Amino acid sequence: MAIDAISSPSMELSRRERERQAETLGLQAVELRLRGRAADAKEHADAGIELLGGLLAQWPDDQPTRYVLAGQLYNRAAIFEDLGRPSAGIPDARRSVDLYQELAEVMPAAVNQGADAQLRLARLMAHDTAAGLMRDVPYDLDARPATADDVVRTGSAALDTYELRAQAGQASPSDLARARWSWAEVLRLLTTTPRLDVLHAYVLSLEASYIIGAELTAEDRRRRAQALSAAVRLQRTLDDEIIDLRSAANAAVEEWWTLTAEGHNTHAPCLAAVYDLAMLARENGAEDVRDVLLMGRTVLDAMSRPLDPESAAIAVAIADLLHEV
């Protein structure tokens, strides 16, 4: 998707034309990210944010433009996470939080979005803290990596905001499911061993997800699939009985399979979910082990090469298991 015609904003364009271009670029970035094209999404996000920065340089107090910029920074922070550079997204997430908090006084919708941005910031900080890697871009936290306490404080405050607003009818089930999933991800990233509280956090996100209803978006479904897969793996490791494992594993495969069939670049998580289901069926002596393994091979056949390391390992395991059953 080319952006050559609008990658260098011209001062000859009207203000409204520049605003429309920035909005279009932002929407295209979101769509590309959902399709698994993170590098292309970043190119569009960069161009949109550049346009918005130019507008604010001329009209610094324009609240609608500041609101759009907060959303595009929030989205670009997620793109950095998809690209495997979560620390590079921290400045965007932090600036998004600041903008939403400033706007919340005059735009009630910015309260929820500010809490969203704060949870995204916590998740990026959790990546950074867990990995202990040199950051791509420094962020202002006394020039040091965030501690686990910093991350928990940031994320828990945002989750509390969402829980209270949901109780007051000011946040939708989709909002709440997203917030709870983000919090579960934060906890997962901060733990070195499987823990029951992390499993509970994913289950709470699923509870909210299953009451969303007809408004369920592809991104809602992706988060539900991620939560299902995470809950299945945690429960198998913890040997606890919080969820029905087989039902959850089936549901995870169904969600990932549908997303993949619709053209989303979700082959790798779909393959992993199928493999989880196959292993669970094998452990329980189920009769459909071979059928599930063949589903995995179908996913593998559709994947581009070379495979990522996890998918390559699963491919070998599936081949070996098919010789056994």
Side-chain angles (χ1 to χ4, degrees), residues 12 41 44 63 105 159 165 172 214 222 295 301 310 312 320:
E12 296 179 0
H44 284 69
Q63 290 176 344
E105 297 180 9
L159 181 64
R165 290 182 69 79
S172 69
R222 183 190 293 254
M295 288 176 64
D301 289 344
E310 182 180 356
D320 290 344

Side-chain angles (χ1 to χ4, degrees), residues 1-222:
M1 189 178 297
I3 59 172
D4 295 344
I6 49 180
S7 59
S8 300
S10 169
M11 295 302 293
E12 296 179 0
L13 295 175
S14 72
R15 178 179 178 179
R16 183 60 195 136
E17 286 171 331
R18 290 157 67 193
E19 289 171 347
R20 280 198 297 267
Q21 285 186 354
E23 291 167 5
T24 298
L25 284 162
L27 291 171
Q28 289 171 339
V30 170
E31 178 62 23
L32 286 164
R33 176 179 174 247
L34 288 175
R35 295 290 174 184
R37 295 170 56 188
D40 292 335
K42 183 180 177 299
E43 185 179 355
H44 284 69
D46 289 346
I49 289 168
E50 182 182 353
L51 274 166
L52 293 167
L55 287 164
L56 285 175
Q58 292 183 264
W59 298 281
D61 297 323
D62 185 73
Q63 290 176 344
T65 301
R66 290 165 69 82
Y67 182 75
V68 175
L69 176 61
Q72 294 204 16
L73 289 165
Y74 169 84
N75 290 329
R76 189 170 69 176
I79 292 169
F80 276 118
E81 185 177 9
D82 292 347
L83 289 169
R85 300 172 56 202
S87 57
I90 289 173
D92 280 351
R94 191 178 295 282
R95 190 176 174 205
S96 177
V97 170
D98 290 343
L99 284 168
Y100 279 132
Q101 288 178 345
E102 292 168 9
L103 291 165
E105 297 180 9
V106 292
M107 293 183 175
V111 175
N112 287 7
Q113 289 159 321
D116 256 334
Q118 196 167 337
L119 278 162
R120 179 155 290 171
L121 172 61
R123 196 165 73 246
L124 295 169
M125 290 165 65
H127 275 289
D128 204 35
T129 302
L133 299 173
M134 182 70 70
R135 294 185 300 283
D136 304 80
V137 180
Y139 59 94
D140 185 20
L141 196 63
D142 300 328
R144 61 179 170 80
T147 66
D149 286 344
D150 296 325
V151 178
V152 168
R153 188 164 48 249
T154 299
S156 62
L159 181 64
D160 288 346
T161 296
Y162 255 119
E163 295 286 357
L164 289 171
R165 290 182 69 79
Q167 290 172 19
Q170 296 171 321
S172 69
S174 177
D175 292 335
L176 186 58
R178 182 174 60 252
R180 288 178 174 177
W181 173 82
S182 292
W183 178 241
E185 287 286 287
V186 168
L187 293 179
R188 178 184 64 80
L189 289 164
L190 291 178
T191 57
T192 55
T193 57
R195 285 187 357 198
L196 193 58
D197 61 330
V198 184
L199 173 57
H200 276 293
Y202 280 114
V203 171
L204 286 172
S205 78
L206 288 168
E207 287 179 0
S209 173
Y210 278 109
I211 58 172
I212 291 175
E215 317 85 61
L216 195 72
T217 66
E219 195 159 6
D220 289 326
R221 289 158 49 214
R222 183 190 293 254

